[in-house]
Every structure is written in structure tokens, then in C-alpha cells.
Amino acid sequence: QVQLVESGGGLVQAGGSLRLSCASSGRTFSSRALGWFRRAPGKEREFVAAISSGGTTYYADSVKGRFTISRDNARDTVYLQMNTLKPEDTAVYFCAARAYGSLSDSDRAYLYWGPGTQVTVSS
């Protein structure tokens, strides 16, 4: 069983930055692909970024060039550095882990989910 807990959300002005962290329990963190998703008010959950077990990354077009996903296998933690934030980035952000090492942009490919952390960007 894998448990994920996000942290680092909060309120920030447009143009600002936040770094989200997601700590994982379990002994198989390094072999799993990890992803970040978000759900804005009134919208469905959407893909943000993913990283494979080997470190390959993939981003949604809406965040490419502004967000960076990274992982620290020694700390069993995945990060999402968010720069140049926009009001449309306001959402609950979730981290997720796959059973496999290959990344995916589909939420159905992820087996474990954190409870989420709120990010609010004011204009």
C-alpha cells in the first residue's frame, strides 16, 4: 500500500511561485511513475505533469515552460515547482502514483492518490 500526502499549497498573487511537495510511504517509490493532476471549481480533474521512474517528464500544454516536476527518490518525494502562476491555475492539486514506471497523462493509469492541496492564484 502506498500513501501520498501533498503540501505546499496556498494563496499567491498572479506571477508568483509555489512549490508543491508530495511525500510517499512504501518501499517502491523509485520504481513508480508519478503525476500531478488538478481540479478547478466546476471542472473535471485534468493532467498537469508526470515523471517516469527513469526521470522522463511530460507536461500539459497549459503549464509547459512554467511548471517543473521532479523527484527525490532518497526522500520518497515528488515536487511540482510552479512559476508565473495565473488565476486559471487555481485548483486543488493532487499527486498520484502508478503501479509501473512508465508515465501517463491519464488519471485512470494511476493507482494511488493523495488527498490534494489547494492552490489559489489571485489576480
Side-chain angles (χ1 to χ4, degrees):
Q1 187 72 11
V2 174
Q3 291 185 324
L4 304 170
V5 179
E6 304 93 340
S7 61
L11 174 64
V12 63
Q13 288 188 331
S17 297
L18 282 174
R19 188 175 82 152
L20 304 183
S21 300
C22 176
S24 173
S25 65
R27 296 174 293 176
T28 57
F29 180 85
S30 62
S31 66
R32 299 183 185 276
L34 304 160
W36 286 95
F37 292 78
R38 66 187 182 187
R39 183 171 61 231
K43 295 187 177 181
E44 294 186 353
R45 186 166 57 191
E46 66 173 2
F47 170 75
V48 175
I51 186 167
S52 71
S53 59
T56 301
T57 59
Y58 182 68
Y59 298 91
D61 288 343
S62 59
V63 307
K64 200 172 297 182
R66 300 189 297 122
F67 291 10
T68 302
I69 187 172
S70 61
R71 64 190 299 161
D72 184 342
N73 290 336
R75 290 181 167 82
D76 289 351
T77 301
V78 60
Y79 304 98
L80 185 68
Q81 177 66 44
M82 305 186 295
N83 299 328
T84 319
L85 282 161
K86 305 175 181 179
E88 51 263 44
D89 294 318
T90 294
V92 178
Y93 284 71
F94 302 89
C95 71
R98 295 200 69 199
Y100 309 105
S102 56
L103 58 81
S104 173
D105 61 0
S106 170
D107 59 358
R108 291 172 294 178
Y110 290 81
L111 189 59
Y112 303 103
W113 291 84
T117 186
Q118 177 71 47
V119 171
T120 303
V121 184
S122 63
S123 57

